[in-house]
Amino acid sequence: MADYSPKIEKAALKIAKYGFEVKFRHFDNVYDPIEGRNIGETEEFAAPALLTRPDEKALAGGIVQAGDACLLVSPTNMKIEPAIGDVAIMDDTEWRIVSLDFVAPGNVKILYRIYARKS
């Protein structure tokens, strides 16, 4: 298997250099259908992210919409793997994660692409 650690390190350094710190709120997915909300524990942590716009391919799928944000984040900076429904907080505004994918050659995650919508 190929060694992707140099690429992972390079992605993390570039994101830290050109991006900004985003606070993430992760939910443990204990959903109460009666209350209509997550009642489980939450965990918050910060990680550097690079803010971009979703590309045409992401928009064509229908889940990601114009006006959504695309955050590029290195897995080495994520305390917890992000999930749909988690929150990214940028400039005191909450953005709900609506979709995510990752660059993972050889099944080694190098980069998360997190798509988020203003809550």
Side-chain angles (χ1 to χ4, degrees):
M1 184 154 129
D3 179 16
Y4 292 102
S5 54
K7 292 190 183 308
I8 294 168
E9 185 178 324
K10 185 176 182 179
L13 289 171
K14 294 265 186 192
I15 291 169
K17 181 177 179 179
Y18 296 108
F20 63 101
E21 190 170 280
V22 174
K23 186 188 297 184
F24 290 92
R25 185 177 300 136
H26 177 76
F27 301 98
D28 68 0
N29 294 323
V30 178
Y31 183 77
D32 184 336
I34 295 171
E35 291 192 31
R37 64 181 183 90
N38 188 310
I39 59 169
E41 298 292 318
T42 61
E43 186 163 351
E44 289 189 1
F45 60 95
L50 188 63
L51 178 63
T52 66
R53 293 183 182 173
D55 60 17
E56 292 299 318
K57 182 180 175 186
L59 292 169
I63 294 173
V64 179
Q65 301 173 359
D68 288 351
C70 178
L71 296 169
L72 303 178
V73 184
S74 170
T76 59
N77 294 322
M78 295 294 284
K79 184 175 177 184
I80 299 171
E81 186 164 323
I84 293 173
D86 287 355
V87 172
I89 303 168
M90 299 180 278
D91 295 328
D92 297 324
T93 301
E94 291 190 0
W95 295 69
R96 179 83 46 194
I97 297 175
V98 295
S99 181
L100 61 99
D101 63 5
F102 41 85
V103 176
N107 214 21
V108 176
K109 292 179 184 169
I110 293 176
L111 183 72
Y112 287 115
R113 278 187 297 253
I114 299 172
Y115 300 98
R117 183 171 300 135
K118 276 188 186 179
S119 297

